[in-house]
Amino acid sequence: MTTAAERLAKTAGAGVLWASPGRVNLIGEHTDYNDGFVLPFALPQATAVSGGRLAERRWVVSSEQTGETVTFDLDGGGKVGGWASYVAAVVWVLREAGVDVPGASLTIASDVPFGAGLSSSAALECAVMAVLVDLAGADVPMRDRPRLAQRAENEYVGAPTGIMDQAASTLCHEGNALFLDCRSLATEQVPFDLAGAGLKILVVDSKAPHAHVDGEYAARRRACEEAAGILGVGALRDVDVDALPDALAKLDDETMRRRVRHVVTENQRVLDTVEVLRAGDLRAAGPLMTASHESMRDDYEITVPQVDTAVRVALEHGAHGARMTGGGFGGCVLALVDEEHCDTVEVAVREAFAANGFTPPDTFVVTPGQGTYRISG
Ligand code: GLA
């Protein structure tokens, strides 16, 4: 099977061609907008974008997936809708940042599953940004791009996401997980050699419908900000796990207490996971992953029966750890499994989904891929 990049390379002509991957998050969920820590890695699956300059200042964007071509300029007022809004958002934010973005013809192809919580939108934003910066001949360092792409998504598309997905899609290195401090944006590439340890990460795409996800995400974010206000800290990142009992005692609302407990303990689990990976003890990440899932299920309340089932069954069949990854209310589960147990876990999860009457899941194995990269041009 050809990749998106290979398909575009055949037709790209004289333009430039870049790719940015989707991501999974090993651990650190709903911590990014609390100025906390995350540990994602890039997928091998990426979104590829080819582009060439146009004489006029307009953008003509074709999607291999939908077969549509959308043309826009940003001077007439009004917003671009649908999938092309992510492209328009990037043009908008680059102009806001002072880049003289030339008109361009862009073609998009993607191998990142859509709507599965694997950051297909960040992959699209980051690949489009790479092409437009290249065509503009502008100097926009990779380390500055996640903030720009996040702003595009927050202010133009209107989704109040944190910075994890755009940072992962841009900054991850093949073979590593990305330890990111979402306040300072300091990064560390943490080696994650699954094959060397005889391990695999099995992804189960639960196919659960994402109901009310935007409203629930925004509500979680608001509760965290409100709690930080009551506790008198800049963000929940500033509450250390040792100070958690005191902090909880200051909050009257039981739901808010649970949200805070998730964020504070999750930040600590990221730090603990980084420690075990630095020490080369990859299996020790398993129990931390499972604890993260339980915290998302019981305290943050963002899981659904399909993902809880996948986690439970994976653990029952020998996974070292398993957790939902991404924003929640569906999406994917990661299971850390010994190579020789991978098939057993996969079959058991499929059988459990069938027995429960759930839509059959997609399952695939992932390895840490490369953030934004240039293919040709
Ligand atoms: C979504 C958002 C991210 C992050 C995760 C939860 O993927 O885009 O910024 O908040 O949810 O960890």
Side-chain angles (χ1 to χ4, degrees), residues 11-294:
T11 54
V16 300
L17 176 55
W18 288 77
S20 294
R23 62 98 189 93
V24 290
N25 187 18
L26 188 58
I27 197 158
E29 223 63 80
H30 289 264
T31 46
D32 61 353
Y33 54 80
N34 288 298
D35 277 1
F37 306 109
V38 294
L39 190 62
F41 64 87
L43 295 177
Q45 291 92 336
T47 294
V49 176
S50 63
R53 288 176 77 116
L54 292 177
E56 326 83 78
R57 205 166 290 263
R58 62 192 175 95
W59 292 272
V60 181
V61 194
S62 304
S63 159
E64 179 197 61
Q65 199 169 347
T66 68
E68 293 168 297
T69 297
V70 175
T71 300
F72 64 87
D73 63 50
L74 291 182
D75 302 324
K79 281 207 172 167
V80 178
W83 59 267
S85 68
Y86 293 97
V87 181
V90 173
V91 174
W92 171 80
V93 85
L94 285 173
R95 286 172 135 197
E96 287 282 303
V99 176
D100 185 17
V101 184
S105 162
L106 305 171
T107 306
I108 299 162
S110 185
D111 296 323
V112 184
F114 182 73
L118 298 173
S119 289
S120 56
S121 51
L124 174 57
E125 290 156 1
C126 296
V128 167
M129 188 173 292
V131 166
L132 292 176
V133 167
D134 193 351
L135 292 177
D139 179 22
V140 183
M142 284 292 173
R143 67 172 180 281
D144 295 343
R145 296 188 191 186
R147 275 265 181 261
L148 289 173
Q150 182 197 10
R151 185 173 169 213
E153 182 143 355
N154 290 173
E155 294 184 32
Y156 191 95
V157 180
T161 63
I163 199 166
M164 170 171 70
D165 304 343
Q166 294 83 0
S169 188
T170 306
L171 302 174
C172 281
H173 287 186
E174 190 168 1
N176 293 270
L178 177 76
F179 176 34
L180 174 70
D181 177 333
C182 298
R183 173 172 278 165
S184 68
L185 298 192
T187 58
E188 177 186 334
Q189 302 290 340
V190 184
F192 194 47
D193 181 8
L194 290 159
L199 291 166
K200 284 186 173 171
I201 292 255
L202 177 70
V203 176
V204 179
D205 176 357
S206 72
K207 299 277 175 179
H210 281 224
H212 311 303
V213 62
D214 292 346
E216 295 288 351
Y217 186 96
R220 299 297 182 287
R221 194 172 175 155
R222 265 198 315 276
C224 291
E225 285 162 3
E226 215 183 304
I230 295 170
L231 296 171
V233 292
L236 290 183
R237 143 75 176 277
D238 298 310
V239 181
D240 200 69
V241 78
D242 298 330
L244 182 60
D246 284 350
L248 295 181
K250 290 187 190 134
L251 301 173
D252 295 331
D253 185 74
E254 172 54 23
T255 302
M256 188 182 282
R257 275 204 294 271
R258 285 204 299 270
R259 305 296 187 251
V260 171
R261 189 163 54 211
H262 166 73
V263 173
V264 173
T265 58
E266 184 77 351
N267 272 327
Q268 186 60 45
R269 281 186 290 270
V270 177
L271 299 176
D272 293 346
T273 305
V274 170
E275 282 297 310
V276 299
L277 295 191
R278 281 188 192 132
D281 187 5
L282 274 58
R283 282 175 179 73
L288 293 159
M289 292 169 69
T290 305
S292 166
H293 185 81
E294 288 164 356

Side-chain angles (χ1 to χ4, degrees), residues 305-373:
Q306 289 89 333
V307 301
D308 290 334
T309 300
V311 167
R312 180 177 51 75
V313 171
L315 293 171
E316 282 168 4
H317 289 79
H320 295 286
R323 64 183 291 277
M324 185 186 74
T325 187
F329 304 97
C332 291
V333 161
L334 304 183
L336 180 68
V337 293
D338 287 326
E339 270 166 4
E340 61 271 26
H341 290 150
C342 194
D343 291 349
T344 316
V345 169
E346 186 176 345
V347 170
V349 169
R350 288 188 171 284
E351 285 175 359
F353 269 53
N356 282 282
F358 300 153
T359 301
D362 267 353
T363 50
F364 50 99
V365 168
V366 290
T367 50
Q370 176 61 37
T372 298
Y373 52 99

